[in-house]
Amino acid sequence: QKEVEQNSGPLSVPEGAIASLNCTYSDRGSQSFFWYRQYSGKSPELIMFIYSNGDKEDGRFTAQLNKASQYVSLLIRDSQPSDSATYLCAVNNNNDMRFGAGTRLTVKP
Amino acid sequence: EPEVTQTPSHQVTQMGQEVILRCVPISNHLYFYWYRQILGQKVEFLVSFYNNEISEKSEIFDDQFSVERPDGSNFTLKIRSTKLEDSAMYFCASSTGTGGQPQHFGDGTRLSIL
């Protein structure tokens, strides 16, 4: 069974703070890792992707991957109210991509 | 920016009927996918498709489901003998390549089975 686990939240942070979102996965053969943002009633929107162990930064977002621990995380710096959404962790193995249930983030002004 | 286009946005069908959900992937993408999301639940992988054949499928994608690329632009998901529990958002996605290239999602079709 290919499981992707996320803390469902809600995670609440004040505007300007760092939001930290975590994800673990069970399939050791997983090759690529994604973070999507989903607003209520909308489709998933790609935020970040990472393939190798370590950190990858893109603007206010940093993805971190530790394959040995089967752990992926997303940091959002200088959080804005517009960042309030559900963040989905997705893990891919040979075109079979599995999603976590998502973490609901609320950024309070 | 190129987009994945899905039609219709909302489909209402009587239980037991067949439905076809349509998708136009991004034009230079080669890999196509269908996902579903039951209200309040997680996004679930159904199937991936490449070079006119199924690449991977999940345990959800049973004989009730089929996919097809009938022409050079459309990618369809057919659901036969629909059941109440098939009610969900169905998302199409596409990517440029395999090995986990980022997938870009369409806006989805909301399927309601009555």
Side-chain angles (χ1 to χ4, degrees):
Chain A
Q1 192 74 312
K2 301 177 182 178
E3 299 291 338
V4 179
E5 300 290 340
Q6 294 182 255
N7 187 329
S8 63
L11 172 66
S12 182
V13 301
E15 183 174 356
I18 295 175
S20 178
L21 306 164
N22 305 314
C23 171
T24 58
Y25 60 94
S26 63
D27 182 3
R28 283 198 170 271
S30 300
Q31 302 150 342
S32 48
F33 308 86
F34 303 87
W35 284 98
Y36 285 83
R37 177 172 63 197
Q38 187 175 33
Y39 294 110
S40 181
K42 301 296 186 181
S43 62
E45 174 192 6
L46 182 68
I47 298 295
M48 291 282 294
F49 58 93
I50 187 167
Y51 302 144
S52 304
N53 281 328
D55 295 359
K56 178 181 178 182
E57 185 175 318
D58 184 1
R60 296 187 296 113
F61 300 96
T62 299
Q64 299 173 314
L65 173 62
N66 183 327
K67 289 186 179 180
S69 300
Q70 295 173 247
Y71 175 86
V72 196
S73 67
L74 178 71
L75 298 177
I76 307 174
R77 288 180 298 281
D78 188 23
S79 296
Q80 301 296 309
S82 58
D83 293 328
S84 297
T86 298
Y87 287 80
L88 310 178
C89 173
V91 175
N92 187 78
N93 185 350
N94 286 329
N95 291 322
D96 179 344
M97 188 159 78
R98 303 294 171 125
F99 282 81
T103 298
R104 189 155 53 93
L105 172 67
T106 300
V107 181
K108 296 189 173 180
Chain B
E1 185 175 323
E3 293 182 340
V4 175
T5 304
Q6 290 187 244
T7 55
S9 57
H10 190 191
Q11 173 80 46
V12 181
T13 301
Q14 292 289 329
M15 185 172 57
Q17 297 297 305
E18 175 183 287
V19 294
I20 298 177
L21 309 182
R22 303 180 190 280
C23 169
V24 178
I26 295 173
S27 61
N28 65 336
H29 286 188
L30 301 176
Y31 291 81
F32 316 123
Y33 313 85
W34 283 103
Y35 295 85
R36 80 174 183 190
Q37 187 174 31
I38 297 170
L39 186 63
Q41 298 187 23
K42 66 180 179 181
V43 176
E44 299 175 292
F45 169 74
L46 293 178
V47 65
S48 58
F49 190 86
Y50 169 70
N51 199 27
N52 281 320
E53 61 183 29
I54 290 174
S55 175
E56 300 284 341
K57 62 181 181 179
S58 73
E59 53 278 4
I60 301 169
F61 193 88
D62 59 19
D63 292 344
Q64 187 191 5
F65 296 90
S66 61
V67 289
E68 189 179 30
R69 186 153 166 85
D71 54 41
S73 59
N74 288 283
F75 177 53
T76 63
L77 174 69
K78 182 187 291 185
I79 310 175
R80 290 178 283 274
S81 301
T82 50
K83 300 173 283 200
L84 295 177
E85 53 264 40
D86 294 326
S87 296
M89 280 291 283
Y90 287 81
F91 294 111
C92 174
S94 67
S95 66
T96 55
T98 185
Q101 291 297 310
Q103 297 179 23
H104 299 270
F105 282 69
D107 288 340
T109 293
R110 180 171 299 283
L111 177 62
S112 299
I113 306 300
L114 304 180

